[in-house]
Amino acid sequence: MTSPSLDTGGAPGTGARHRARTTAPAAPPSSPAASTAPKRPGRDRYLDLLRSIALVRVIVYHIFGWAWLTVIFPSMGVMFALAGSLMARSLARPAWGVIRGRIRRLLPPMWAFSAFVLPVIFYFGWKPVKEEGIWWFVKLAWYVVPVGAPPYPWHSGDASGLLEDTWAVQAAGPLWYIRAYLWFVIASPLLLWAFRRVPWATLFAPLALTAVVGSGLFKIPGETGNAITDFATYGSCWVLGFAHQEGMFEKLPRYVFVSVSSLIMAFGLWWASWHLGPDGWDLNDIPLAQATWSFGFCVILLAYSPSWQRLPGKLAHFDGLITLSNNRAVTIYLWHNLLIMATIPVIDLLWRIPGLWPTYSVYLERAYPVLMLIAVFPLIGLMIMAVGWLEDVAAKRRPRLWPNGATRREAAADGAGPGRTRSHRA
């Protein structure tokens, strides 16, 4: 979910959700937006950098499970804020065409993921009709258009088999984000309309809703409650993207935004300290803390946004990887959990090497998460080449096997003009 900038990070907190849990309409000359909105030609490489960091942080979090990562860098809030900015930018065009285009870019990669996961789940003996009745066939539609929570078994296969028996739960973890992204896309024309008329109320309304549904004051059961909580938790981050695109951060001095956001973040940490979950300071388990901390964090990131057209200094060495991750954000986000689990049988082959077992088995076990981190990126690269081209097809572009912008940079070096990254969500 450009990300779904995922526009693509992790934050499910309950149930099956895993531990990780663009161009604004032209304003009339007399409107505030017309006088303050900055011009942002081409791709903003600062935003692309943030999205790449968010994706890497999600992968690291899902491997190591470090709760403090949700505080150091709230990836999901960042990704929703970036997606909101790109959505506001795109809404300079007719709203229905923008929504249709966003959905079109999202669904083919989702279908490829579903086409792999569903047959494997059935192969391992899932009998949903017996467990849930005929209603299951309606739920199956969420694997095609993910406006709801796709069904899956809590246990699939054998715990001692090639993959642990909770693999289906882990594989389905990223789907909550796809659902939330789709909800935000559909709601964006209305949200942007409201933001332009009552900006501050629209910006803070999701935080108020989170205080109701995410703090226990009002409980909505089941996946409906999870979906509404997700929408509320990250709604202010999405609207922050509107504020960034519309130039709101230029209306007041930066110290005002930083001071207010710091107070909001301090409240989030205070609330978290009194509502620690089973994983301690994991903000994915504490919706109100997640909402306020992510909101304040994104305010600071966007208030100081340099709006780079090119990556500066040593960051330029990572231009290709950043371009690749942004062009394949949906693929990376959808498949990374499954690929993390796929590293397990690969790493276990080390135990078959003569002399390693039992002499070095203790060291291998201690290094297991690090080995998973090393092994997962080649697998992600293979998956990008295998199915990533579907993102190009969905965007009505020529399919590319490895879209890291190398050809464009070479053309720029030869004097053919500046290269610009074109994300699947731009």
Side-chain angles (χ1 to χ4, degrees):
M1 179 264 237
T2 320
S3 198
S5 221
L6 150 334
D7 226 38
T8 321
T14 60
R17 293 176 298 167
H18 195 271
R19 293 196 51 180
R21 267 254 302 192
T22 11
T23 314
S30 59
S31 72
S35 61
T36 60
K39 295 181 179 180
R40 304 179 187 276
R43 291 291 305 173
D44 190 330
R45 299 300 279 163
Y46 173 72
L47 302 187
D48 289 345
L49 173 64
L50 291 181
R51 185 174 300 109
S52 297
I53 294 173
L55 285 170
V56 172
R57 202 284 280 162
V58 169
I59 294 170
V60 173
Y61 173 81
H62 281 161
I63 291 175
F64 292 91
W66 292 328
W68 52 266
L69 284 175
T70 64
V71 177
I72 296 298
F73 195 89
S75 286
M76 304 315 300
V78 171
M79 292 175 74
F80 278 119
L82 302 181
S85 179
L86 290 173
M87 188 67 186
R89 181 179 176 180
S90 292
L91 283 172
R93 306 191 299 273
W96 170 241
V98 173
I99 293 174
R100 184 176 56 191
R102 285 289 190 273
I103 295 175
R104 187 191 68 237
R105 295 182 183 195
L106 177 66
L107 292 185
M110 172 75 182
W111 294 339
F113 178 81
S114 301
F116 175 82
V117 170
L118 274 176
V120 177
I121 294 177
F122 281 116
Y123 174 79
F124 282 118
W126 187 33
K127 299 178 180 178
V129 177
K130 181 178 180 181
E131 297 170 2
E132 302 186 39
I134 198 68
W135 173 244
W136 174 84
F137 286 102
V138 177
K139 292 183 179 181
L140 189 63
W142 305 149
Y143 276 103
V144 180
V145 182
V147 293
Y152 47 82
W154 282 96
H155 299 281
S156 178
D158 186 356
S160 60
L162 187 63
L163 296 174
E164 61 179 78
D165 63 346
T166 61
W167 75 269
V169 177
Q170 306 299 324
L175 298 184
W176 76 271
Y177 179 83
I178 304 294
R179 175 184 63 191
Y181 175 81
L182 192 59
W183 279 35
F184 281 125
V185 166
I186 294 171
S188 281
L190 179 60
L191 288 174
L192 186 58
W193 176 87
F195 176 77
R196 287 175 171 163
R197 284 153 182 79
V198 282
W200 296 107
T202 307
L203 189 60
F204 287 104
L207 291 180
L209 180 59
T210 307
V212 175
V213 301
S215 64
L217 291 177
F218 183 75
K219 197 75 173 178
I220 303 176
E223 281 298 330
T224 300
N226 291 335
I228 293 174
T229 300
D230 292 336
F231 189 86
T233 300
Y234 298 104
S236 287
C237 292
W238 186 273
V239 178
L240 265 180
F242 295 173
H244 174 254
Q245 188 63 40
E246 296 282 288
M248 175 180 277
F249 293 109
E250 296 184 358
K251 295 180 179 180
L252 294 173
R254 284 177 177 172
Y255 72 84
V256 174
F257 289 107
V258 174
S259 299
V260 173
S261 62
S262 297
L263 291 174
I264 294 174
M265 294 169 72
F267 169 81
L269 291 183
W270 173 83
W271 182 267
S273 68
W274 289 93
H275 299 82
L276 298 180
D279 298 311
W281 284 86
D282 194 326
L283 299 186
N284 296 319
D285 299 329
I286 316 169
L288 184 55
Q290 177 74 282
T292 50
W293 180 262
S294 296
F295 175 81
F297 195 94
C298 290
V299 167
I300 295 174
L301 286 180
L302 295 179
Y304 284 89
S305 174
S307 191
W308 295 325
Q309 292 304 297
R310 296 178 183 274
L311 292 170
K314 294 183 178 180
L315 288 175
H317 297 303
F318 300 96
D319 184 84
L321 291 176
I322 291 171
T323 300
L324 178 66
S325 64
N326 277 267
N327 282 326
R328 294 294 180 258
V330 178
T331 299
I332 294 171
Y333 190 81
L334 275 174
W335 291 90
H336 77 273
N337 262 6
L338 202 56
L339 296 176
I340 287 172
M341 288 181 286
T343 65
I344 296 175
V346 174
I347 296 172
D348 285 349
L349 294 176
L350 293 176
W351 270 259
R352 299 185 180 182
I353 299 177
L356 284 183
W357 176 267
T359 306
Y360 299 102
S361 60
V362 174
Y363 301 103
L364 289 175
E365 290 172 359
R366 290 176 181 175
Y368 211 100
V370 176
L371 295 174
M372 293 176 72
L373 183 64
I374 294 172
V376 75
F377 286 105
L379 295 181
I380 289 175
L382 291 174
M383 189 58 65
I384 285 174
M385 290 189 288
V387 300
W389 53 270
L390 285 171
E391 296 194 47
D392 292 326
V393 174
K396 296 184 177 180
R397 290 194 300 253
R398 177 180 58 82
R400 297 166 295 174
L401 196 63
W402 194 257
N404 65 346
T407 303
R408 193 160 45 253
R409 288 193 298 274
E410 291 171 1
D414 292 337
R420 286 177 180 169
T421 306
R422 185 181 178 190
S423 165
H424 65 279
R425 234 176 254 234

